[in-house]
């Protein structure tokens, strides 16, 4: 099932090209998967750094891609999440809205959980992803954030300790830290479908690993509850007349103009 899930992800991001440059950090665990990624047009880079439990650190991946690729937004997504066309449309709307590149904007959102059963046709086309979320997906909790799309500058990376991906704590930490440092945080849930393929381990994979407390030890005392999607300063939505995506101040309900 995990192989099927990862293959769906490779095909899904490839289907979003040329609007994105998908990057795979190679962990040397599955040469066939790495070969497939290259064949689908992914950039494959050596993993910059990993913990003693062989889990990738987040910050070096962001720093490497930001220095290597000239892109309006750089992002990280968990390796079991699929996206619809709302990913590109939402990023495009935010790029037009937030033109001050000296100030960061961080896009996050809730996911839909989808039981990835064996057999059947592969699921990766953006339209099929949106349909699966509508018909069989369940919108998950506001404290579970699986993607982080960062535009502009001045994100406080120097304050971020050695947190790893796929383990509890780092998601709420990043959002809460961003808010504390004046970063615009956008809840993209209304316009961006993120479909989490739930495998045999269910929807709480990170909590069942032996190093599930790794990030909490690195971060130490912190207000994690201040980093849910509901705390975002902005939220996306649709113009009721044109259908175009716009960004709204969550507190005032006013549309942000570029």
């Amino acid at each position: 099932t995990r192989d099927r899930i990862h293959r769906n992800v490779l095909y899904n991001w490839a289907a979003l090209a040329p609007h994105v440059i998908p990057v795979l950090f190679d962990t040397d665990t599955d040469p066939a998967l790495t070969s497939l990624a290259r064949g689908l047009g992914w950039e494959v880079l050596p993993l910059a750094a990993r913990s003693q439990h062989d889990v990738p650190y987040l910050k070096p991946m962001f720093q490497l891609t930001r220095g290597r690729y000239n892109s309006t937004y750089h992002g990280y997504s968990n390796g079991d999440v699929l996206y619809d066309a709302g990913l590109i449309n939402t990023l495009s709307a935010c790029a037009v809205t937030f033109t001050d590149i000296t100030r960061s904007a961080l896009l996050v959102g809730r996911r839909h959980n989808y039981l990835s059963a064996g057999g059947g046709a592969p699921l990766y086309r953006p339209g099929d992803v949106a349909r699966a979320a509508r018909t069989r997906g369940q919108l998950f909790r506001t404290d579970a954030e699986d993607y982080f799309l960062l535009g502009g500058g001045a994100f406080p990376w120097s304050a971020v300790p050695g947190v790893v991906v796929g383990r509890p704590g780092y998601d709420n930490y990043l959002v809460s830290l961003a808010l504390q440092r004046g970063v615009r945080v956008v809840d993209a849930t209304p316009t961006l479908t993120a479909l989490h393929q739930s495998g045999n381990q269910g929807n709480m994979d990170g909590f069942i690993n032996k190093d599930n407390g790794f990030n909490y030890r690195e971060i130490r005392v912190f207000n994690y509850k201040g980093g849910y999607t509901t705390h975002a300063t902005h939220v996306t939505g649709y113009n009721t007349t044109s259908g175009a995506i716009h960004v709204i101040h969550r507190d005032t309900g006013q549309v942000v103009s570029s």
Side-chain angles (χ1 to χ4, degrees), residues 117-132:
L123 175 63
Y124 67 88
R125 294 181 180 85
D128 293 338
V129 170
R131 191 175 305 108

Side-chain angles (χ1 to χ4, degrees), residues 4 19 25 99 131 155-157 166 176 183 191-192 196 250:
R4 176 187 178 85
H19 306 287
F25 284 90
T99 55
R131 191 175 305 108
F155 190 82
W157 283 116
S176 186
V183 174
T191 60
L192 188 164
H196 172 252
R250 178 159 258 161

Side-chain angles (χ1 to χ4, degrees), residues 4-5 7-12 82-83 114-116 119-133 136 195-197:
R4 176 187 178 85
I5 286 172
R7 286 174 178 270
N8 283 343
V9 169
L10 292 182
Y11 279 102
N12 178 238
L82 305 171
Y83 295 90
Y114 172 86
L115 180 60
S116 180
L123 175 63
Y124 67 88
R125 294 181 180 85
D128 293 338
V129 170
R131 191 175 305 108
R136 292 178 51 193
L195 189 69
H196 172 252
Q197 302 171 90

Side-chain angles (χ1 to χ4, degrees), residues 1 3 5 9 38 60 100 119 134 142 153 206 216 219 225 236 240:
T1 301
D3 180 71
I5 286 172
V9 169
R38 287 195 176 98
D100 178 9
R134 287 195 307 268
T142 60
Y216 295 123
I219 299 167
K225 292 184 178 180
T236 58
T240 56

Side-chain angles (χ1 to χ4, degrees), residues 97-165:
T97 301
F98 299 125
T99 55
D100 178 9
I101 61 173
T102 63
R103 188 179 175 197
S104 295
L106 176 65
L107 275 66
V108 296
R110 298 167 70 181
R111 74 189 195 210
H112 285 80
N113 289 328
Y114 172 86
L115 180 60
S116 180
L123 175 63
Y124 67 88
R125 294 181 180 85
D128 293 338
V129 170
R131 191 175 305 108
R134 287 195 307 268
T135 58
R136 292 178 51 193
Q138 292 184 328
L139 191 60
F140 202 43
R141 299 168 4 181
T142 60
D143 64 341
E145 293 139 333
D146 283 29
Y147 63 87
F148 306 89
L149 310 172
L150 182 63
F155 190 82
W157 283 116
S158 61
V160 178
V163 295
V164 298
V165 300

